[in-house]
Amino acid sequence: MIIVMKPEATEAEVDRVLNRIAAKGLKPLHMPGSERVVLGALGDERVLAELALDGDPYVESVKPILAPYKLVSRELHPHDSLVAVGGASFGGNRFGLIAGPCAVETEDQLLASAQAAKAAGARVLRAGAYKPRTSPYAFQGHGPEALELLAQVGRAVGLPVVTEVIESGDVELVARHADALQVGARNMQNFALLKAVGAAGKPVILKRGMSARIEDLLLAAEYVLAAGNDQLILCERGIRTFETATRNTLDLAAVPVLKAKTHLPVIVDPSHGTGRRDLVAPMALAAAAAGADGLMVEVHVDPPTALSDGPQSLYPDQMIALGKQLGAVLGVLGRTL
Amino acid sequence: MIIVMKPEATEAEVDRVLNRIAAKGLKPLHMPGSERVVLGALGDERVLAELALDGDPYVESVKPILAPYKLVSRELHPHDSLVAVGGASFGGNRFGLIAGPCAVETEDQLLASAQAAKAAGARVLRAGAYKPRTSPYAFQGHGPEALELLAQVGRAVGLPVVTEVIESGDVELVARHADALQVGARNMQNFALLKAVGAAGKPVILKRGMSARIEDLLLAAEYVLAAGNDQLILCERGIRTFETATRNTLDLAAVPVLKAKTHLPVIVDPSHGTGRRDLVAPMALAAAAAGADGLMVEVHVDPPTALSDGPQSLYPDQMIALGKQLGAVLGVLGRTL
Amino acid sequence: MIIVMKPEATEAEVDRVLNRIAAKGLKPLHMPGSERVVLGALGDERVLAELALDGDPYVESVKPILAPYKLVSRELHPHDSLVAVGGASFGGNRFGLIAGPCAVETEDQLLASAQAAKAAGARVLRAGAYKPRTSPYAFQGHGPEALELLAQVGRAVGLPVVTEVIESGDVELVARHADALQVGARNMQNFALLKAVGAAGKPVILKRGMSARIEDLLLAAEYVLAAGNDQLILCERGIRTFETATRNTLDLAAVPVLKAKTHLPVIVDPSHGTGRRDLVAPMALAAAAAGADGLMVEVHVDPPTALSDGPQSLYPDQMIALGKQLGAVLGVLGRTL
Amino acid sequence: MIIVMKPEATEAEVDRVLNRIAAKGLKPLHMPGSERVVLGALGDERVLAELALDGDPYVESVKPILAPYKLVSRELHPHDSLVAVGGASFGGNRFGLIAGPCAVETEDQLLASAQAAKAAGARVLRAGAYKPRTSPYAFQGHGPEALELLAQVGRAVGLPVVTEVIESGDVELVARHADALQVGARNMQNFALLKAVGAAGKPVILKRGMSARIEDLLLAAEYVLAAGNDQLILCERGIRTFETATRNTLDLAAVPVLKAKTHLPVIVDPSHGTGRRDLVAPMALAAAAAGADGLMVEVHVDPPTALSDGPQSLYPDQMIALGKQLGAVLGVLGRTL
């Protein structure tokens, strides 16, 4: 860690900070320059975070040298992690497609949508039982009944299922029915929930929050691993920017940035990432080309009647066409769907 | 609601959409133009949200005419609401100052910080027992013990207390010790928590999320009112933008925008909104000048040793100086601290 | 255009607005609802822009139905436009690769970099003579001499050249040496420059501004076409967001959004769009998969010594490897490099 | 400057970088840590910028210690600069109000608007002759004629005038008619224009770009000072964020941030900063409370007929009321209008 002192810091102030560093067991360095005194602290700088040196009135800035996360970092764990959801695996040469409707609505809707997903090459079925919605007057999901229906349809079509959990109190129930637990963008920093899914013994898909920097996503992931669960998949799903032509701005560069920093698999959700049906296929192909380990795509048997996310849900034939194109692009990049 | 059809929509498609509008009990309008067919739907357009007309492949765009919230809107409730926290009231001519340390650390730290807050004119004491922290390795708060200490120090200095609750399961316990419940920025769209505080029978301070548009904040507030609790105070605390000189970008224009749309009191948190001690006072005065109904400010008896938010915590003498300046500015604007 | 009146608007105010609409030759519509009076204006709503109805104190909001641009729109010109730069063409099935160093430094540097570009399959050579730099102390480009050197090296390697022009006064000189003129992100709304390149008789590459919405980019393009030049290529190069892991956030969804709205070719600059050498290839492939009509990539014979943009410049062998991968991905998508 | 080497950097790579630092005349420092080798460079680090060490494949990151600007910095010039526009002065205890219509439309419009500005306490009249407009079909300003009219009306009401210049070629003409030159937000990084106004011998008002960080604004200012003109006023006018309730997000914290870093006066434009007439007064008062040295406000004799910016233009009586409130707030803060 590098600590830049303010120009007005006296020698006594500098010594005080050096002593605080040494008291934590780190080796302090003193580098007086012509315009600023710069201090260094060699050792595990995460220990220094407790000192909160940036709260000191004589400290101008604090510049960390090391990443604030450990367990998710590629430095400790250089090889790609593989995460299995039912029989589907994410993170190796196998590219994993997750598809299904936004929400569990009815048995017919879910079954027909699941069949389209499977026909397109999906390895995991997705559908929501609990829907976090911006408005209290919007459809909030069918809850526990929907969990049962999802598990039943998953078995019927032969696909493992993933579904969102929105509170720590629901984790046990959801884990009983689902093969993987999804933590949505709005809950990426719901730390109680992160701790709970970290203890649930099921793989987790963690979506990037709308205003989360990549480092924030990795720290949220660190919560799950620190709670004992390393079966974690990260999901880029768009961030909020000034652009209004799309629902979110899909930050595809986050895929190779994340792959460089972490051993965890990284997938992309082009449905929420764009909010528009016509953009899902181009962004899905782009995600594959950018090196993603998988996709999460919304498909609905009849999008205009969908209770949520109709505008971004593919029609079944669009889903199947996308599966074919994906296979071709992945093929030339040395991966298989 | 205005529905713009795509240029390729045939008469049959237009009729289909008109019929869906009529089936919901609204009056459909047909306005054929030279380049687009435009449809209207007169009546309670919140009913139309269920139709999700923007999921229709022949619909180009849907433009709502009315706000999607009702209970928080000034249209239904034109006069300012007053919300009382203990003996302090927010929303009228009385400007409410909430102050205290970021977190409950020790009895001495809390008591000394609370005395500084009171000396500066604070009417409510704040301090966190549960701290949502970006890193799992950062101080997470002292939990239930801190709640008791906070209540005890509040009584000792004669101030009601507010503290953050971060999960629905904790609401009952927190409500037992605190005079008001705070929902933090990261939980603004934790809808389970919003419903729980809506049922808790205590006033609530709801902070704007880092990526929340003003409309999103109002819809989050609508969750609380819809759950039966109209003792709600909104808090602007900065949004995430590309600017890195400050921790967040404090959006002070949100104050008059909110005051125009809602009857609820609106306060400002210049501490989190800037992240820098030297910016707290100017932004606190600016918030008062912009028409805020109060402030939430962090003060700590010894900021360099604070376990969290040291860089943005005022020293006691800075807090007291701010209280004086605030009184002067509020005075010429016809309000009192 | 749809005009929503404020609740307090009286009949007289409504009539006044209706009369202003009719006076402009448009057909006014009156749609009184239960909570708001809504007005419509049928006809060329661009005429209405002059009325600036949103400046009226009784108007709540104005919702345009049609896009504010015409010449760039696919509605008037449904087929893809082809733009030729020297012998290279953009916009059809042929995907165009533009490559070269950020800046013209020396003859050796430029020639070796140009050879790498050509070996990778580039059809156009890029290099800057005028460099818009954030700091006045940074290298500003070698100016007119660099223009001559660029033209000479272009002839030597057999590639047409494109270079940036940063002021209207330089357009004539730059157009004398270059096969195409580039307008950079910082100048996307330098309207004097847009008008000048619109009159220059050379193809133009227009980069999206860092804070430009897609509609702003299309309106900037409209300036060029309105000035008489339809040889225009649009370039997505990243927008400024809160994410700091990359120099900009490359908005690849802008590619299919633009392709749906305009007939103009759309290319992508993954070098400026990410600012990091290791991200250029994945984002270049992703851009091709997303449907871009070409790429603009920075390559330098010795990046660590580059006078500008070293961190994002590819080494020659990386450029050549990228060319091969691009060819493979384009191949399965039915396009050729 | 601190240079963090990548973990894979060998001793030879470290030595190479140390030698490059020494070759520039700076003192290199070597700080080997357990996980990273960190290098330092003591001396004028602006010289190091030329080395572009972040382009080196063995360098992980480069962390500057000093600000990249000099002339605008308070470190070299600790006292506030005063800038005079005609008889009005900015930067001391005197708070300067600039007001007037967005554009020069007609003599009557300009005169009546100028009288309202003066009655409200304005010391400088503003109005645009050249209007940079997003759409080529929008009113572009009356050009040279408007310059003459503006100068004439300024003399008539007894106020110095400021007006925008949008290209370097126009600087001489505009400087002949105006007492100060404004560089607009879209041209903040039009470096040719910055150099030209730097040589024009008239005071300059430089507006922050929509996507400019505070450091970018200071570097743009550095261009003007480096070109020989230190009569410069900075203007915060809002940045582009995801919030759509306002035209821009007025970043008032930029005022104290700038005042801490630079000796130049800082004013605020609440008209463009919000885009809404009802928000101008609260944000104007907030800017004054935040420590701004002045304001630039749009007022129009009849806003609904304004050719540009009608929605954000005050009515004359609103302008006069604002002047009174401003005087009161400034009074208690020890300043005068």
Side-chain angles (χ1 to χ4, degrees):
Chain A
M1 187 171 280
I2 300 294
I3 299 104
V4 184
M5 301 298 293
K6 287 196 180 158
E8 62 265 30
T10 63
E11 217 169 302
E13 301 296 347
V14 169
D15 286 345
R16 184 172 48 77
V17 174
L18 287 170
N19 290 338
R20 293 187 72 195
I21 293 168
K24 278 280 171 190
L26 282 90
K27 191 180 153 201
L29 278 177
H30 186 205
M31 296 170 275
S34 51
E35 302 185 47
R36 289 286 187 291
V37 172
V38 175
L39 310 181
L42 300 182
D44 181 1
E45 56 185 57
R46 288 165 201 108
V47 168
L48 274 193
E50 293 164 32
L51 287 188
L53 291 173
D54 50 359
D56 192 296
Y58 290 93
V59 168
E60 185 171 280
S61 63
V62 170
K63 297 171 194 288
I65 301 298
L66 302 178
Y69 41 81
K70 285 185 273 197
L71 304 173
V72 302
S73 170
R74 220 179 246 289
E75 294 198 26
L76 266 83
H77 187 313
H79 300 296
D80 283 3
S81 288
L82 294 190
V83 177
V85 176
S89 101
F90 293 80
N93 284 331
R94 198 79 189 231
F95 182 93
L97 178 60
I98 303 170
C102 178
V104 175
E105 298 172 11
T106 65
E107 187 172 349
D108 287 356
Q109 169 261 0
L110 183 58
L111 184 62
S113 303
Q115 285 163 339
K118 186 161 194 191
R123 300 260 152 181
V124 181
L125 174 63
R126 65 145 288 156
Y130 301 92
K131 301 303 308 169
R133 303 298 297 279
T134 303
S135 165
Y137 307 120
F139 170 61
Q140 310 267 320
H142 290 315
E145 280 172 66
L147 287 177
E148 289 186 25
L149 195 53
L150 176 60
Q152 173 194 321
V153 168
R155 283 189 300 271
V157 296
L159 290 177
V161 300
V162 59
T163 197
E164 182 167 356
V165 54
I166 61 175
E167 311 206 62
S168 59
D170 293 336
V171 168
E172 200 190 313
L173 176 68
V174 176
R176 216 155 44 222
H177 290 92
D179 299 283
L181 306 173
Q182 179 184 315
V183 175
R186 289 179 180 82
N187 282 310
M188 191 202 83
Q189 292 193 320
N190 180 335
F191 301 115
L193 180 59
L194 294 177
K195 291 171 188 170
V197 299
K202 286 273 170 126
V204 173
I205 297 178
L206 175 62
K207 290 191 154 188
R208 180 181 185 184
M210 264 190 286
S211 56
R213 294 203 181 107
I214 285 169
E215 186 171 293
D216 299 326
L217 172 58
L218 289 168
L219 282 164
E222 187 85 3
Y223 265 93
V224 179
L225 270 73
N229 189 348
D230 61 0
Q231 296 296 296
L232 182 63
I233 298 168
L234 302 175
C235 182
E236 159 63 31
R237 49 75 75 203
I239 56 175
R240 187 160 261 190
T241 72
F242 61 78
E243 180 56 67
T244 52
T246 44
R247 183 171 171 186
N248 291 289
T249 296
L250 189 65
D251 179 14
L252 282 185
V255 174
V257 171
L258 283 167
K259 300 286 294 175
K261 289 180 186 291
T262 183
H263 52 89
L264 297 171
V266 179
I267 65 171
V268 171
D269 174 349
S271 305
H272 289 86
T274 62
R276 281 173 47 175
R277 188 182 298 136
D278 62 324
L279 305 179
V280 171
M283 287 302 99
L285 297 174
D293 296 309
L295 287 172
M296 181 178 265
V297 176
E298 287 185 345
V299 56
H300 191 287
V301 64
D302 186 23
T305 65
L307 294 181
S308 58
D309 284 354
Q312 71 197 33
S313 295
L314 295 184
Y315 280 84
D317 58 339
Q318 292 176 315
M319 184 76 224
I320 291 166
L322 170 57
K324 282 187 190 135
Q325 284 188 292
L326 262 179
V329 168
L330 288 165
V332 298
L333 296 168
R335 303 184 99 178
T336 49
L337 186 60
Chain B
M1 186 170 281
I2 300 294
I3 299 106
V4 183
M5 302 297 293
K6 287 196 180 158
E8 62 265 30
T10 61
E11 215 169 302
E13 301 296 347
V14 169
D15 285 346
R16 185 172 50 76
V17 174
L18 288 170
N19 289 339
R20 293 186 72 194
I21 293 168
K24 279 281 172 189
L26 282 88
K27 190 180 154 203
L29 277 177
H30 186 205
M31 297 170 275
S34 49
E35 302 185 46
R36 289 288 188 290
V37 171
V38 176
L39 309 182
L42 301 182
D44 181 2
E45 56 186 56
R46 289 165 201 109
V47 167
L48 272 194
E50 293 165 31
L51 286 187
L53 290 173
D54 49 0
D56 192 296
Y58 290 94
V59 168
E60 186 170 281
S61 63
V62 170
K63 299 172 193 289
I65 300 299
L66 303 177
Y69 42 80
K70 284 185 273 198
L71 304 174
V72 302
S73 170
R74 219 178 246 289
E75 294 197 27
L76 263 83
H77 186 312
H79 299 296
D80 283 3
S81 288
L82 294 190
V83 177
V85 176
S89 100
F90 292 82
N93 283 333
R94 198 78 191 231
F95 181 93
L97 179 59
I98 303 170
C102 178
V104 176
E105 298 171 12
T106 65
E107 186 171 348
D108 286 356
Q109 167 261 2
L110 184 58
L111 184 61
S113 303
Q115 285 163 338
K118 186 160 192 188
R123 300 261 152 182
V124 181
L125 174 64
R126 63 144 288 154
Y130 302 93
K131 301 304 306 170
R133 302 300 296 278
T134 302
S135 165
Y137 307 120
F139 171 60
Q140 310 269 320
H142 289 316
E145 281 171 66
L147 287 177
E148 289 185 25
L149 196 52
L150 176 60
Q152 174 195 319
V153 168
R155 281 189 302 270
V157 295
L159 289 178
V161 300
V162 59
T163 197
E164 182 167 356
V165 54
I166 62 175
E167 316 203 59
S168 59
D170 294 336
V171 168
E172 202 190 313
L173 176 68
V174 176
R176 214 150 51 218
H177 291 92
D179 299 284
L181 306 173
Q182 179 185 316
V183 175
R186 290 180 179 82
N187 282 310
M188 191 201 84
Q189 291 193 319
N190 181 336
F191 301 115
L193 181 59
L194 295 178
K195 290 172 188 172
V197 300
K202 287 271 170 124
V204 174
I205 298 179
L206 175 63
K207 288 192 155 189
R208 181 181 183 183
M210 264 190 285
S211 56
R213 294 203 181 108
I214 287 169
E215 187 172 293
D216 299 325
L217 172 59
L218 289 169
L219 282 164
E222 187 86 3
Y223 265 94
V224 179
L225 271 72
N229 188 348
D230 61 0
Q231 295 297 295
L232 183 63
I233 297 169
L234 303 174
C235 182
E236 160 63 31
R237 48 77 73 204
I239 56 175
R240 187 160 260 189
T241 72
F242 61 80
E243 180 56 66
T244 53
T246 44
R247 183 173 171 184
N248 292 289
T249 296
L250 190 64
D251 179 15
L252 282 185
V255 174
V257 170
L258 283 167
K259 300 286 295 175
K261 289 180 186 290
T262 183
H263 52 90
L264 298 170
V266 179
I267 66 172
V268 171
D269 174 349
S271 305
H272 289 87
T274 63
R276 282 173 48 175
R277 188 182 300 134
D278 63 324
L279 305 179
V280 171
M283 288 302 100
L285 297 175
D293 297 308
L295 287 172
M296 180 177 267
V297 176
E298 287 185 345
V299 57
H300 191 286
V301 64
D302 185 22
T305 65
L307 294 181
S308 57
D309 284 354
Q312 71 198 32
S313 294
L314 294 184
Y315 280 85
D317 58 338
Q318 293 176 316
M319 184 76 224
I320 291 166
L322 171 58
K324 283 188 190 134
Q325 284 187 293
L326 261 180
V329 169
L330 288 165
V332 297
L333 296 167
R335 302 184 99 176
T336 51
L337 186 60
Chain C
M1 187 169 281
I2 300 293
I3 299 104
V4 183
M5 302 298 292
K6 287 195 180 159
E8 62 265 31
T10 62
E11 215 169 304
E13 300 296 346
V14 168
D15 286 347
R16 185 173 49 77
V17 174
L18 288 170
N19 289 339
R20 292 186 72 195
I21 293 168
K24 278 282 170 186
L26 282 89
K27 191 181 154 200
L29 276 178
H30 186 206
M31 296 170 276
S34 50
E35 302 185 47
R36 289 288 188 290
V37 171
V38 175
L39 309 182
L42 301 181
D44 181 0
E45 56 186 57
R46 289 166 200 107
V47 167
L48 273 194
E50 293 165 32
L51 286 188
L53 290 173
D54 49 0
D56 192 296
Y58 290 94
V59 168
E60 185 170 283
S61 63
V62 170
K63 299 170 194 289
I65 301 297
L66 303 177
Y69 42 80
K70 284 185 274 197
L71 303 173
V72 302
S73 170
R74 221 177 244 290
E75 293 197 27
L76 264 84
H77 186 312
H79 300 295
D80 283 4
S81 287
L82 294 189
V83 177
V85 176
S89 102
F90 292 81
N93 284 332
R94 198 78 190 230
F95 182 93
L97 178 60
I98 304 171
C102 177
V104 175
E105 298 171 11
T106 66
E107 186 172 350
D108 286 356
Q109 168 260 359
L110 183 58
L111 184 61
S113 303
Q115 285 163 339
K118 186 160 194 190
R123 300 262 153 180
V124 181
L125 174 64
R126 64 144 289 156
Y130 302 93
K131 300 304 307 169
R133 301 300 295 280
T134 302
S135 165
Y137 307 120
F139 171 60
Q140 310 268 320
H142 290 315
E145 280 171 67
L147 286 177
E148 289 186 24
L149 195 53
L150 176 61
Q152 175 194 320
V153 168
R155 281 190 302 270
V157 295
L159 289 177
V161 300
V162 59
T163 198
E164 182 168 355
V165 55
I166 62 175
E167 315 203 61
S168 60
D170 294 336
V171 168
E172 202 190 313
L173 177 68
V174 176
R176 215 153 47 221
H177 291 93
D179 299 284
L181 306 172
Q182 179 184 317
V183 175
R186 289 179 179 82
N187 282 310
M188 191 201 84
Q189 291 193 319
N190 180 336
F191 301 115
L193 180 59
L194 295 178
K195 290 171 187 171
V197 299
K202 287 271 170 124
V204 173
I205 297 179
L206 175 62
K207 289 191 155 188
R208 181 181 183 183
M210 264 190 285
S211 56
R213 294 203 182 107
I214 287 170
E215 186 171 295
D216 299 326
L217 172 58
L218 289 169
L219 282 164
E222 186 87 2
Y223 265 94
V224 179
L225 270 72
N229 189 348
D230 61 1
Q231 295 297 295
L232 183 62
I233 297 169
L234 302 175
C235 182
E236 161 62 31
R237 48 77 73 204
I239 56 175
R240 188 160 260 191
T241 72
F242 61 78
E243 180 54 68
T244 53
T246 45
R247 183 172 171 184
N248 292 289
T249 296
L250 190 64
D251 179 15
L252 282 185
V255 173
V257 170
L258 283 166
K259 300 287 294 176
K261 289 181 185 291
T262 182
H263 52 89
L264 298 170
V266 179
I267 67 172
V268 170
D269 175 350
S271 305
H272 288 85
T274 63
R276 282 173 48 174
R277 188 182 300 133
D278 63 324
L279 305 179
V280 171
M283 288 301 101
L285 298 175
D293 297 309
L295 288 171
M296 180 177 265
V297 176
E298 287 185 345
V299 57
H300 191 287
V301 65
D302 186 22
T305 66
L307 294 181
S308 57
D309 284 354
Q312 71 197 34
S313 295
L314 294 184
Y315 281 83
D317 58 339
Q318 292 176 315
M319 184 76 223
I320 291 166
L322 171 58
K324 281 188 191 136
Q325 283 187 293
L326 260 180
V329 168
L330 288 165
V332 299
L333 297 168
R335 304 185 97 177
T336 50
L337 186 61
Chain D
M1 187 171 281
I2 300 293
I3 299 105
V4 184
M5 301 298 293
K6 288 195 179 159
E8 63 265 32
T10 63
E11 217 169 300
E13 301 296 348
V14 169
D15 285 347
R16 184 172 51 76
V17 174
L18 287 170
N19 290 338
R20 294 185 71 194
I21 293 168
K24 278 283 171 188
L26 281 89
K27 190 179 154 205
L29 278 178
H30 186 205
M31 296 169 275
S34 51
E35 302 185 46
R36 290 286 188 291
V37 172
V38 176
L39 310 181
L42 300 182
D44 181 0
E45 56 184 58
R46 288 164 202 108
V47 168
L48 273 194
E50 292 164 33
L51 287 188
L53 291 173
D54 50 358
D56 192 296
Y58 290 94
V59 169
E60 185 170 282
S61 63
V62 170
K63 299 173 193 288
I65 301 298
L66 303 177
Y69 41 81
K70 284 185 274 198
L71 305 173
V72 302
S73 170
R74 219 177 245 290
E75 294 196 27
L76 265 83
H77 187 313
H79 300 295
D80 284 4
S81 287
L82 294 189
V83 177
V85 176
S89 100
F90 292 81
N93 284 332
R94 198 77 189 232
F95 181 92
L97 179 59
I98 303 171
C102 177
V104 175
E105 298 172 11
T106 66
E107 187 172 348
D108 287 356
Q109 168 261 1
L110 184 58
L111 184 61
S113 305
Q115 285 164 338
K118 186 160 194 189
R123 300 261 154 180
V124 181
L125 174 64
R126 62 145 289 157
Y130 301 92
K131 300 304 307 170
R133 302 299 297 278
T134 302
S135 165
Y137 307 120
F139 171 60
Q140 310 268 321
H142 289 315
E145 280 171 66
L147 287 177
E148 290 187 23
L149 195 52
L150 175 61
Q152 175 195 319
V153 168
R155 283 189 300 271
V157 295
L159 289 177
V161 300
V162 58
T163 197
E164 182 167 355
V165 54
I166 61 175
E167 312 205 63
S168 59
D170 294 337
V171 167
E172 201 190 313
L173 177 67
V174 176
R176 212 150 53 219
H177 291 93
D179 299 284
L181 305 173
Q182 178 185 318
V183 175
R186 289 179 180 82
N187 282 311
M188 191 202 83
Q189 291 193 320
N190 180 336
F191 301 114
L193 180 59
L194 295 178
K195 290 171 188 173
V197 299
K202 287 272 170 123
V204 173
I205 297 178
L206 175 62
K207 289 191 154 188
R208 180 182 186 183
M210 264 189 286
S211 56
R213 293 204 181 107
I214 286 169
E215 185 171 294
D216 298 326
L217 172 59
L218 288 169
L219 282 165
E222 186 86 3
Y223 266 93
V224 179
L225 270 71
N229 188 349
D230 61 1
Q231 296 297 295
L232 183 62
I233 297 168
L234 302 175
C235 182
E236 160 63 31
R237 48 76 74 202
I239 56 175
R240 187 161 261 190
T241 72
F242 62 79
E243 180 55 67
T244 51
T246 44
R247 184 172 169 182
N248 292 289
T249 296
L250 191 64
D251 179 15
L252 282 185
V255 174
V257 171
L258 283 166
K259 300 286 294 176
K261 289 180 185 291
T262 184
H263 52 89
L264 298 170
V266 179
I267 66 171
V268 171
D269 174 350
S271 305
H272 289 86
T274 62
R276 281 173 47 175
R277 188 182 300 135
D278 62 325
L279 305 179
V280 171
M283 288 300 100
L285 298 174
D293 297 308
L295 287 172
M296 181 177 265
V297 176
E298 287 184 346
V299 57
H300 191 286
V301 64
D302 185 23
T305 66
L307 294 181
S308 57
D309 284 353
Q312 71 197 35
S313 295
L314 294 183
Y315 280 84
D317 57 339
Q318 292 176 315
M319 184 77 224
I320 291 166
L322 170 58
K324 282 187 190 136
Q325 284 186 291
L326 261 178
V329 169
L330 289 165
V332 296
L333 296 168
R335 303 184 98 177
T336 50
L337 185 62

